[in-house]
Amino acid sequence: MLPILTLYLIIIQSALLRLWKISSVPPQTENTVIILRIFSAAAGILLTWIVFYLAKQFNLNRKTALLSAWVYSVFPWAIEQGRIFSSVNLTAVVLFLSAIFLLKYLFKKNNTKLILRLIPFVFAVIPGIWYIKFKFLLPVTSILNNLFILISPNLLFYRNITFWWGGLKEFGIMFLSFLPFLITGIIKSITGRKFLLTSVVWLLFFSAFSPDFPESRLFYLSVPLWSVLIGNGIAISFRLKDKFYKTLIICLLLFIIYEYAQLLHYYFRHYPISVSGNLDKIHGIF
């Protein structure tokens, strides 16, 4: 009963973060359609629930799944994309609902190696996808440059350059305080859940190949996977017995609260002012 109640509370928090003042923060442009913003908010709320079940499909326990859902609910990029019309937010719902059913089938059939063998094949057709859409391919130097940008600490923790006009560029994709837990989750995935980490890497390359990088925001599709990695890292850290590490973890959790409060203050007080000064540069649905 308690885990279900906790999940409901996380979803309620996610809903408040995405729906409160959605008609005025960020400010509307001439292309704003409020109902589309609400659809994106609903997708973000649903993704909080999806991340919980996605973590369970990776054979993670319920506590870890709850932590993963909470991490997604407070992700800076997820909050930003959940309060505007975001096609990648809606795409993520379809993608990860499909992934849950696929993983359930693969793990049930004990055939996880099949999907790992399919990933290189899918990656091989990516250039063809972009050529059909844009009629040209990026040079290798541009692809490598995009890769370095996507994995740079600047983008991950300090300054998100995707969706520049209207984007929350004063914050990174995730909180800096998530870094130790992310590293722990990655190390654990290397030793035990390679499919999770392989999926992140695949989305990394897929995003780097996009001719409209960074405006494509395709890398957003990796946010639910980052959330599971970080949630797993937090759960592992909680199990440590050493007093020094326990003290360090408590300090990190306090830092997360500080960064979370800082994000909320900036987003609802200063971000609308920043967007208002650039409304003439935002031409898409916002």
Side-chain angles (χ1 to χ4, degrees), residues 47-107:
L47 276 166
T48 305
W49 174 85
I50 287 172
V51 168
F52 172 78
Y53 283 96
L54 183 66
K56 292 185 70 176
Q57 295 309 309
F58 286 117
N59 291 328
L60 296 170
N61 60 41
R62 185 169 292 184
K63 183 182 293 186
T64 303
L66 286 169
L67 285 168
S68 301
W70 176 79
V71 168
Y72 177 80
S73 73
V74 301
F75 233 82
W77 205 9
I79 293 174
E80 177 212 85
Q81 292 297 301
R83 296 183 60 86
I84 60 172
F85 171 68
S86 172
S87 58
V88 290
N89 217 19
L90 299 171
T91 302
V93 170
V94 176
L95 176 67
F96 286 101
L97 275 178
S98 303
I100 287 174
F101 289 109
L102 178 62
L103 288 169
K104 185 175 291 187
Y105 171 79
L106 289 172
F107 285 133

Side-chain angles (χ1 to χ4, degrees), residues 210-246:
S210 175
D212 59 355
F213 177 90
E215 291 292 325
S216 63
R217 288 174 281 171
L218 283 172
F219 197 47
Y220 179 80
L221 297 175
S222 66
V223 169
L225 299 174
W226 289 119
S227 301
V228 176
L229 287 170
I230 294 167
N232 192 29
I234 295 174
I236 292 169
S237 300
F238 278 152
R239 294 196 289 267
L240 296 174
K241 303 295 184 182
D242 188 276
K243 290 184 179 179
F244 172 77
Y245 287 112
K246 280 187 174 294

